[in-house]
Amino acid sequence: MALSGVAWALPAQAANDFGTRPYVRLGLGRALFLSPSGSPGLHLTSPSSQPLADLTVGFDLSKYWGIEFSVDYMKTDLDAASPRHTLGDFSSIAGTAAIRLRYPLGDGRFVPYAFLGGGNGFGDFSGRKNFTYPIGGRGWSLLGVAGAGAEF
């Protein structure tokens, strides 16, 4: 799960009725891990030790429906659970596609939305800080995304 703390979008009215509206969003935040101890004896620092960066390109296809494509990069520390010490860096990059349901309220300036989608992610252990612990690796994984927000 990732939370973006800062976002920017191209200026446009949130609820236009004249067709496709493209947008770009840049995000910067922290990653929160639902299961930071996914492997016995290992623990990811949560929230992430370094900022999560996000680039999203989307298109509002109608007043209610849209689609967006996103690329996220995150880097944090991988720690040994006992004794507690940092083993190295864990980074991941993810590409996702999602559908977005929007519902303009009032005069269309406040637009709550929800999105659902999926994609692929790549994780990599690097920047080893402790050479006495025999771990390492990288790999791909399918992932799902879901969320909600509001435009104003």
Side-chain angles (χ1 to χ4, degrees), residues 2-8 25-31 48 50-55 71-74:
L3 299 177
S4 291
V6 176
W8 170 80
R25 182 176 62 237
L26 300 173
L28 189 63
R30 296 286 184 187
S48 58
Q50 296 183 23
L52 170 103
D54 168 72
L55 171 64
V71 175
D72 300 317
Y73 176 78
M74 180 277 311

Side-chain angles (χ1 to χ4, degrees), residues 12 22 31 45 68 87 99 122 131 136 139 142:
T45 300
E68 57 184 39
L87 302 173
I99 56 170
F122 178 76
F131 290 90
L142 293 176

